[in-house]
């Protein structure tokens, strides 16, 4: 038996692997589980907008090693659904082929980078290397010649990520600027800030942006970037040494190797058990899966859904291999918690994003989400497998456990 292969070392991949091991152990069977990912760490991607991004990672071997998951440090380059093989390139540059009985594609999503003059000057917080490069750039600003815009940052895209990095940059720039003025400009192509977040939290978002002094330019985008200047599509020129792009993501290009329907984000159509429609033995989880969250609603490319999708995909992949009944995916009620700088946040519930809390209360919740809830247990096989149950809820983290 070649067993289950999980492609991707993010949240969906980690929980897929753990959930598969959990079910196999529960029924007393030995099912090989292999995780293939280029890096050695689970990157805490939702935190990459914060300072010191190099801290935002957890060693995969400390998470999955205690439960016996084999890890292959390689970059997947091709998937053969007929031959049930994966082509990959290891760190030594050698090609390897990995066979599988069940495959879980959890390779995530990537930022859509634009093609424009000066695009190579754009920063982003989509990956750990990119976030680290932004951190190094900000720290280097005091050593650059004094000029207009030295401590000005333009953030392109006023969605979830754009709002979090824009409000965070007020403090991050302030920490290196000394007595010099700091300016953050948020640029949004649509006609309103936070369009994808809906009208519920928008008044709070606008109020915080105003309080922080974040300038807003809507109905325009960036046409050109120069080392010390940004040109908008309406011809406006903004002296700025820092430009951060956050506009739009697409599912991993590996989804194109799976002969199945994909949505506009490149995500694979899956059935209620997260098996890719029409492709036996292949499951999708996280940002590669266009799964139904509820009638008329598809999951979002977000951490909340990635964690849940991973647990269900791993369970069902193992169930299929073991001849057990699968469990239909059920999403927990949708919630968000948007960080808004050093002292504020806004928490919402439901698809209409009804505001639940703001200010210090929402900020405390955001810190708990970012610093506790989304981290997997390390060096603790029993706790990892407990949390790998597809029925697990973060509420159980605060419940007393049996002695």
């Amino acid at each position: 038996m070649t067993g289950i292969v999980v492609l991707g070392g993010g949240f969906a991949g980690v929980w897929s692997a753990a959930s598969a091991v959990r079910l196999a152990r529960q029924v007393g069977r030995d099912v090989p589980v292999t995780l293939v990912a280029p890096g050695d760490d689970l990157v805490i991607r939702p935190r990459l907008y914060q300072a010191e991004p190099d801290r935002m990672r957890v060693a995969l071997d400390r998470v999955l090693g205690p439960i016996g998951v084999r890890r292959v440090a390689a970059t997947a380059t091709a998937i053969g659904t007929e031959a049930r093989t994966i082509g990959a390139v290891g760190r030594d540059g050698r090609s390897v082929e990995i066979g599988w009985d069940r495959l879980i594609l959890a390779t995530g999503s990537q930022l859509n980078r634009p093609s424009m003059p000066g695009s190579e000057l754009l920063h982003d917080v989509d990956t750990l290397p990119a976030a680290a490069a932004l951190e190094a750039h900000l720290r280097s600003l005091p050593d650059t010649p004094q000029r207009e815009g030295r401590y000005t940052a333009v953030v392109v895209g006023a969605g979830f990520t754009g709002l979090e990095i824009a409000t965070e940059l007020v403090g991050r720039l302030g920490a290196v600027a000394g007595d010099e003025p700091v300016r953050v400009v948020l640029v949004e192509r649509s006609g309103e800030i936070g369009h994808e977040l809906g009208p519920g939290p928008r008044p709070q978002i606008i109020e915080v942006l105003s309080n922080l002094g974040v300038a807003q330019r809507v109905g325009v985008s960036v046409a050109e970037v120069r080392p010390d200047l940004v040109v908008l599509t309406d011809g406006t020129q903004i002296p700025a040494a820092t430009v951060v792009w956050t506009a739009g993501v697409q599912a991993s290009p590996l989804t194109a190797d799976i002969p199945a329907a994909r949505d506009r984000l490149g995500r694979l159509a899956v059935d209620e058990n997260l098996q890719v429609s029409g492709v036996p033995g292949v499951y999708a989880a996280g940002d590669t899966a266009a799964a139904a969250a509820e009638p008329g609603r598809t999951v979002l490319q977000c951490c909340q859904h990635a964690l849940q999708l991973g647990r269900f995909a791993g369970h069902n992949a193992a169930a299929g291999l073991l001849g057990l009944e699968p469990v239909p995916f059920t999403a927990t009620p949708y919630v968000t918690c948007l960080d808004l700088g050093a002292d504020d946040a806004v928490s919402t519930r439901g698809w209409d994003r009804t505001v639940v809390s703001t200010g210090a209360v929402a900020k405390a919740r955001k810190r708990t989400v970012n610093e506790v809830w989304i981290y997997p247990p390390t060096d603790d096989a029993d706790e990892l497998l407990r949390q790998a149950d597809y029925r697990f809820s973060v509420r159980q983290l605060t419940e007393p456990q049996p002695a």
Side-chain angles (χ1 to χ4, degrees):
M1 179 189 292
T2 52
I4 297 170
V5 172
V6 179
L7 281 187
F11 291 108
V14 163
W15 288 110
S16 290
S19 183
V21 171
R22 179 185 183 278
L23 180 59
R25 290 192 181 182
Q26 192 175 36
V27 298
R29 298 280 296 278
D30 183 18
V31 174
V33 178
T34 300
L35 184 136
V36 180
D40 295 328
D41 302 308
L42 163 64
V43 175
I44 311 301
R45 194 177 180 193
R47 297 191 66 186
L48 293 183
Y49 66 95
Q50 295 179 289
E52 301 180 63
D54 195 57
R55 299 181 298 114
M56 314 308 183
R57 54 182 173 172
V58 179
L60 286 167
D61 287 342
R62 292 188 62 193
V63 179
L64 297 175
I67 62 171
V69 172
R70 172 185 174 228
R71 188 170 66 84
V72 176
T75 300
T77 56
I79 299 171
T81 55
E82 292 292 333
R84 296 203 169 190
T85 57
I86 297 162
V89 176
R91 289 179 181 168
D92 59 2
R94 296 181 181 179
S95 297
V96 295
E97 186 174 272
I98 303 168
W100 49 270
D101 293 307
R102 294 293 184 275
L103 174 68
I104 302 173
L105 185 63
T107 44
S109 59
Q110 61 187 39
L111 186 69
N112 290 328
R113 291 187 64 87
S115 176
M116 68 171 72
S119 61
E120 70 279 2
L121 299 172
L122 294 170
H123 290 277
D124 66 73
V125 291
D126 193 52
T127 65
L128 183 54
L134 174 61
E135 174 85 348
H137 166 78
L138 295 175
R139 290 181 179 274
S140 74
L141 290 175
D143 299 324
T144 62
Q146 187 170 7
R147 65 190 187 280
E148 186 182 7
R150 177 162 65 156
Y151 295 113
T152 295
V154 174
V155 176
V156 188
F160 204 98
T161 302
L163 288 166
E164 292 200 321
I165 186 63
T167 52
E168 189 77 7
L169 279 173
V170 174
R172 291 177 68 179
L173 282 170
V176 298
D179 295 330
E180 293 191 41
V182 165
R183 186 183 185 210
V184 177
V185 182
L186 187 58
V187 176
E188 170 54 48
R189 182 174 58 184
S190 74
E192 54 192 359
I193 297 296
H195 173 74
E196 66 186 50
L197 298 174
R202 189 170 296 124
Q204 175 69 13
I205 292 169
I206 298 299
E207 179 181 350
V208 173
L209 292 176
S210 177
N211 291 341
L212 291 174
V214 176
Q216 302 154 49
R217 292 298 310 273
V218 299
V220 294
S221 190
V222 171
E224 180 182 355
V225 180
R226 303 173 193 168
D228 56 359
L229 188 72
V230 173
V231 181
L232 302 184
T233 51
D234 65 356
T236 300
Q237 297 187 354
I238 303 173
T242 306
V243 188
V244 182
W245 184 271
T246 72
V249 295
Q250 283 285 120
S252 161
L254 282 172
T255 59
D257 282 4
I258 310 296
R262 293 183 292 159
D263 68 4
R264 64 180 182 82
L265 299 176
R267 301 181 300 176
L268 292 161
V270 294
D271 65 18
E272 63 177 4
N273 303 318
L274 303 184
Q275 182 169 275
V276 176
S277 300
V279 188
V282 179
Y283 297 78
D287 289 359
T288 63
E294 59 183 60
R297 294 283 186 180
T298 304
V299 294
L300 299 182
Q301 291 175 310
C302 66
C303 182
Q304 175 188 341
H305 287 149
L307 295 168
Q308 298 165 21
L309 288 162
R311 291 182 174 102
F312 277 87
H315 179 97
N316 287 338
L321 200 55
L322 296 168
L324 304 175
E325 286 297 313
V327 177
F329 172 67
T330 304
T332 57
Y334 179 58
V335 297
T336 63
C337 198
L338 175 71
D339 212 351
L340 292 171
D343 302 310
D344 222 317
V346 56
S347 179
T348 72
R349 66 166 176 257
W351 294 97
D352 59 353
R353 295 183 173 88
T354 300
V355 174
V356 175
S357 61
T358 60
V361 173
K363 186 68 175 182
R365 178 179 176 83
K366 181 66 174 182
R367 286 183 175 138
T368 301
V369 170
N370 267 12
E371 299 171 17
V372 180
W373 287 350
I374 64 176
Y375 278 73
T378 54
D379 308 316
D380 191 338
D382 290 341
E383 180 60 18
L384 181 69
L385 294 178
R386 182 181 81 88
Q387 294 187 27
D389 189 337
Y390 66 87
R391 294 160 295 193
F392 180 80
S393 164
V394 293
R395 289 191 298 274
Q396 294 172 249
L397 291 173
T398 61
E399 296 173 356
Q401 297 304 304

